[in-house]
Every structure is written in structure tokens, then in C-alpha cells.
Amino acid sequence: PKRQAVAPVINVATCEKPEYPAAALRAEATGTTKIRFTVDAAGKVSKAEIEKSAGPSREHKMLDRVAVEKLSSCNFTPGADEHGKPMGGSFDVEYVWKIE
């Protein structure tokens, strides 16, 4: 029987939050890093690339790198196709950097 395909569950709130790099904090670098990443059928990140940097400076690039590293080590719940087979997908995630 065919079932409804289920999209992978991408909830970055369940991931460990990236640490604010000290240099970026000192430079008061804030912004939003937009990352496109691909999750495989096991729910692991197989590819991550920066779609939009948090900003132009070296410190912003640090923020981008840290966000990619943290999200890449996160596990997600894979989706399933209409036959119930696990499947991955690609997603855009925005990580907002703000100094508390």
C-alpha cells in the first residue's frame, strides 16, 4: 500500500548551539548565516554549504564556519518515501547570531 511521503524532520533547535567565537564577540559581529545542507537517509548531514554569509568581515566568516560545523554534527530524523523507505533531502537553515 502506498503511504504519504514524509519529509525529514529538521529541527535545529535540538542541535547543540554554536559557541560565539571570542574574536567575533569582541568585534561585535552579528548577522544571519544561511546554510543549505543535505541530509542522507540515515539523518546525517552529508553536505553543508553557506548560501549567505553573516557578513563581510573575517569575524563574520568565523560565525559561518562555526554554524556549519555545529549543524553538520547534528543528527536529524530522516523522512520516508511513499513505500516507507527512509530518505533524506536538502534544506535551508538560517542561523541568527546576536550578542545577548
Side-chain angles (χ1 to χ4, degrees), residues 74-85:
C74 199
N75 283 326
F76 299 102
T77 306
D81 66 13
E82 60 269 18
H83 305 292
K85 269 184 59 177

Side-chain angles (χ1 to χ4, degrees), residues 28-100:
E28 295 183 11
T30 59
T32 302
T33 302
K34 187 174 178 193
I35 304 164
R36 158 151 294 217
F37 64 106
T38 305
V39 174
D40 64 18
K44 294 245 184 263
V45 175
S46 58
K47 186 172 153 212
E49 51 197 5
I50 294 159
E51 291 269 286
K52 186 179 149 291
S53 176
S57 74
R58 203 168 54 91
E59 287 80 13
H60 286 108
K61 303 285 182 271
M62 277 180 195
L63 297 180
D64 298 340
R65 264 201 315 278
V66 171
V68 167
E69 277 168 25
K70 266 296 182 243
L71 285 173
S72 295
S73 63
C74 199
N75 283 326
F76 299 102
T77 306
D81 66 13
E82 60 269 18
H83 305 292
K85 269 184 59 177
M87 64 174 203
S90 288
F91 304 88
D92 287 339
V93 170
E94 290 195 342
Y95 194 86
V96 179
W97 293 95
K98 55 184 187 292
I99 297 169
E100 304 292 329

